[in-house]
């Protein structure tokens, strides 16, 4: 997937890039917005520890993006990254991305649900972590001149497995991404 994204960036100018995890990867984003091509740069299992800033800089090969939307954090919450670890890594990511685009957006982390293998206990722990991580995002965004995009309330249910969005979840998520 990373190789294919690299080739995609070679043939596009001034794209809007949505970078993130499997929630981004599975999204059906439009092909363009406001005259800019949209690139879905979601990577399965990505987190703030995935070195996405360096990867994206290499993939863009000196080109700039019109905008980069960062939709990360679910995997950080699921592995119980501390708010400080998350904040430090997200801060570093925004710093790297600020060199690649004049417009950055930090997107809120969606809630998880108790479904399939996501037990009530796991959900509760993940939701505590998501809440803590979401509280640091507005300040991190502001520090880098980025916008923070909150996520509207999600329908119940909104996932297929407790984590990954279903059609109703994506209806809300995609609309919020496009507003960003």
């Amino acid at each position: 997937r990373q190789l294919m994204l690299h080739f995609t960036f070679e043939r596009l100018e001034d794209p809007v890039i949505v970078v993130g995890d499997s929630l981004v990867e599975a999204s059906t984003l439009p092909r363009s917005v406001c005259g800019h091509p949209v690139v879905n740069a979601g990577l399965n299992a990505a987190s703030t520890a995935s070195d996405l800033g360096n990867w994206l800089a290499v993939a863009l090969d000196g080109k700039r993006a019109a905008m980069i939307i960062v939709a990360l954090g679910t995997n950080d919450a699921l592995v119980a990254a501390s708010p400080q670890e998350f904040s430090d890594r997200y801060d570093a990511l925004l710093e790297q991305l600020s060199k690649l685009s004049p417009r950055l957006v930090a997107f809120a982390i969606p809630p998880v649900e108790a479904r399939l293998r996501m037990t009530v206990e796991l959900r509760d722990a993940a939701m505590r972590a998501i809440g803590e991580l979401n509280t640091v995002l507005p300040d991190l965004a502001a520090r880098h001149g980025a916008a923070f995009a909150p996520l509207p309330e999600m329908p119940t249910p909104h996932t297929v497995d407790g984590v990954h969005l279903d059609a109703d979840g994506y209806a809300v998520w995609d609309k919020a991404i496009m507003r960003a």
Side-chain angles (χ1 to χ4, degrees):
R1 173 123 171 106
Q2 289 171 296
L3 180 62
M4 292 298 104
L5 286 167
H6 178 83
F7 292 137
T8 298
F9 291 130
E10 280 183 356
R11 65 181 195 268
L12 298 177
E13 295 298 326
D14 214 22
V16 171
I17 301 169
V18 184
V19 65
D21 53 27
S22 59
L23 298 179
V24 174
E25 186 175 20
S27 176
T28 55
L29 296 167
R31 294 188 65 110
S32 67
V33 63
C34 300
H36 298 277
V38 174
V39 177
N40 178 330
L43 299 170
N44 185 41
S47 72
T48 56
S50 298
D51 200 23
L52 294 174
N54 284 325
W55 165 75
L56 193 54
V58 170
L60 284 170
D61 193 27
K63 292 183 177 182
R64 304 241 324 142
M67 174 185 279
I68 300 174
I69 299 171
V70 181
L72 277 175
T74 300
N75 291 320
D76 294 273
L78 292 174
V79 298
S82 75
Q84 189 60 54
E85 287 173 314
F86 176 80
S87 182
D88 291 346
R89 294 189 305 233
Y90 207 105
D91 187 66
L93 176 61
L94 289 178
E95 179 63 30
Q96 291 171 312
L97 297 180
S98 70
K99 296 174 180 131
L100 305 176
S101 177
R103 293 182 193 92
L104 298 176
V105 177
F107 197 68
I109 306 165
V112 295
E113 299 176 305
R115 297 193 71 178
L116 300 179
R117 293 186 310 173
M118 177 68 74
T119 65
V120 170
E121 294 79 20
L122 287 173
R123 181 217 43 214
D124 291 349
M127 285 304 297
R128 279 190 298 278
I130 287 169
E132 291 174 348
L133 302 183
N134 272 333
T135 62
V136 302
L137 285 176
D139 289 337
L140 287 170
R143 220 179 300 166
H144 293 279
F148 172 70
L151 186 61
E153 190 168 326
M154 298 295 275
T156 302
H158 65 272
T159 67
V160 295
D161 60 359
V163 175
H164 298 94
L165 302 177
D166 63 14
D168 292 335
Y170 272 117
V172 172
W173 192 90
D174 288 347
K175 189 174 183 180
I177 286 282
M178 293 313 298
R179 266 194 309 256

